[in-house]
């Protein structure tokens, strides 16, 4: 629950707590599970879940189990980092995937976390924890390091001041180390994250610029850590990021391509 403890929760707070009870690990919940996970009385949960079901935000099956409805997906697609970004990026993500048949990802920054808005993965690709709509701490991912490196100073400081969750012995665990990495990313124009989420995988990420020439997203390719020289992947990832930036109308990308807006 994210609402303030200084005031009683509003109806909107309760609805958001209810929707927030669903996770990738628990996409289907009974009424009692919804009540417990949202921290709401059973009677309140029953009333709100009924209203959300009537509006299509939730779906209730014959066994009385709830899941998120398609109406929420329709609303989410209207977000600034929704359909336009994904549609612009998809041809370039597909090209990257065809080159390696590994994991290719598109992400945006939300506070101290990255949200994955698109992912392509092959059956034989190295295992990753990401999914479309999923989140991971920005400091521990290649896309997150790219996005943090180009984020406003106050956003960077908020992450640097907070605890840095570690997943493996290679995960960045100190503010000083993260500052050095972000400086390297700004200098080099890409990030290499080796074994920071899972030791078996590494990622190469690059920034995607929007029409205001600000970094609004990042792409990455995630490959097996063993036997891979990540530097060989940098040109392809950066070229794909420039292509997406060009389609989005980023001035720097248009200048580098002679003013053409076609991919």
């Amino acid at each position: 629950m994210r609402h303030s403890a200084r005031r009683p929760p509003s109806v909107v707070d309760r609805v958001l707590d209810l929707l927030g009870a669903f996770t990738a690990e628990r996409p289907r919940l009974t009424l009692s599970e919804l009540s417990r996970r949202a921290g709401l009385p059973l009677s309140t949960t029953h009333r709100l879940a009924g209203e959300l079901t009537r509006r299509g935000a939730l779906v209730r099956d014959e066994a009385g189990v709830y899941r998120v409805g398609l109406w929420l997906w329709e609303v989410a697609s209207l977000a600034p980092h929704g359909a336009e970004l994904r549609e612009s990026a998809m041809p370039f993500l597909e090209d990257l995937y065809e080159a390696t048949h590994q994991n290719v990802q598109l992400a945006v920054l939300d506070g101290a976390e990255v949200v994955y808005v698109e992912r392509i993965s092959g059956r034989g690709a190295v295992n990753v924890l990401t999914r479309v709509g999923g989140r991971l701490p920005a400091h521990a991912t290649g896309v997150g390091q790219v996005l943090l490196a180009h984020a406003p100073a106050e956003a960077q400081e908020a992450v640097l001041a907070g605890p840095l969750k570690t997943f493996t012995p290679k995960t960045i665990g100190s503010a000083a180390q993260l500052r050095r990495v972000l400086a390297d990313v700004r200098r080099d124009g890409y990030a290499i994250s080796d074994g920071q989420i899972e030791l078996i995988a590494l990622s190469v990420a690059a920034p995607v610029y929007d029409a205001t020439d600000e970094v609004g997203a990042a792409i990455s390719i995630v490959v097996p850590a063993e036997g891979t020289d990540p530097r060989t992947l940098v040109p392809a990832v950066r070229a794909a990021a420039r292509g997406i930036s060009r389609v989005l109308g980023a001035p720097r990308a248009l200048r580098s391509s002679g003013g053409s807006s076609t991919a």
Side-chain angles (χ1 to χ4, degrees):
M1 292 181 290
R2 298 185 180 184
H3 49 75
S4 172
R6 293 177 295 181
R7 62 172 175 81
S10 67
V11 174
V12 173
D13 288 326
R14 294 187 177 98
V15 169
L16 293 177
D17 287 340
L18 199 64
L19 296 175
F22 294 93
T23 65
E25 295 73 29
R26 301 296 301 273
R28 303 174 74 252
L29 298 171
T30 65
L31 187 67
S32 60
E33 289 171 332
L34 263 176
S35 173
R36 183 175 64 256
R37 291 173 64 87
L40 298 173
L42 191 61
S43 59
T44 302
T45 303
H46 182 268
R47 175 174 57 82
L48 293 177
E51 294 178 5
L52 289 169
T53 300
R54 283 190 291 275
R55 291 293 302 271
L58 295 181
V59 175
R60 183 175 182 269
D61 65 20
E62 294 180 356
V65 178
Y66 293 88
R67 58 183 173 83
V68 173
L70 284 175
W71 183 77
L72 285 181
W73 179 260
E74 294 172 14
V75 173
S77 69
L78 302 175
H81 298 302
E84 180 183 1
L85 174 60
R86 294 172 63 222
E87 290 172 4
S88 299
M90 186 56 72
F92 301 94
L93 299 180
E94 290 173 343
D95 285 348
L96 274 180
Y97 169 74
E98 288 299 330
T100 64
H101 289 277
Q102 290 292 331
N103 303 280
V104 178
Q105 306 176 135
L106 173 69
V108 297
L109 187 67
D110 185 19
E113 298 176 315
V114 291
V115 178
Y116 292 89
V117 297
E118 190 55 85
R119 182 168 78 93
I120 305 175
S121 181
R123 181 175 298 178
V126 65
N127 181 62
V128 295
L129 299 179
T130 57
R131 62 178 179 83
V132 175
R135 293 170 175 265
L136 281 174
H139 71 277
T141 68
V143 286
Q145 291 162 16
V146 165
L147 291 165
L148 279 177
H150 297 280
E154 58 270 20
Q156 294 183 26
E157 292 302 322
V159 173
L160 289 162
L164 301 177
K165 180 179 179 180
T166 57
F167 295 84
T168 76
K170 291 186 174 183
T171 308
I172 295 173
S174 71
Q177 183 184 8
L178 182 55
R179 286 187 190 277
R180 290 194 297 270
V181 168
L182 297 184
D184 290 344
V185 171
R186 286 190 293 271
R187 180 196 66 206
D188 299 334
Y190 63 89
I192 294 175
S193 177
D194 185 359
Q196 295 198 58
I197 295 293
E198 293 185 282
L199 290 173
I200 60 173
L202 68 81
S203 70
V204 177
V208 173
Y209 292 85
D210 60 23
T212 67
D213 247 1
E214 299 292 332
V215 174
I219 64 170
S220 69
I221 186 166
V222 185
V223 299
E226 185 175 358
T228 301
D229 180 355
R231 293 170 296 181
T232 63
L233 299 172
V234 170
V237 175
R238 295 189 71 185
R242 284 195 300 269
I244 300 169
S245 302
R246 188 166 63 247
V247 173
L248 292 173
R252 68 175 61 211
L254 292 173
R255 287 194 299 269
S256 67
S257 63
S260 171
S261 60
T262 58

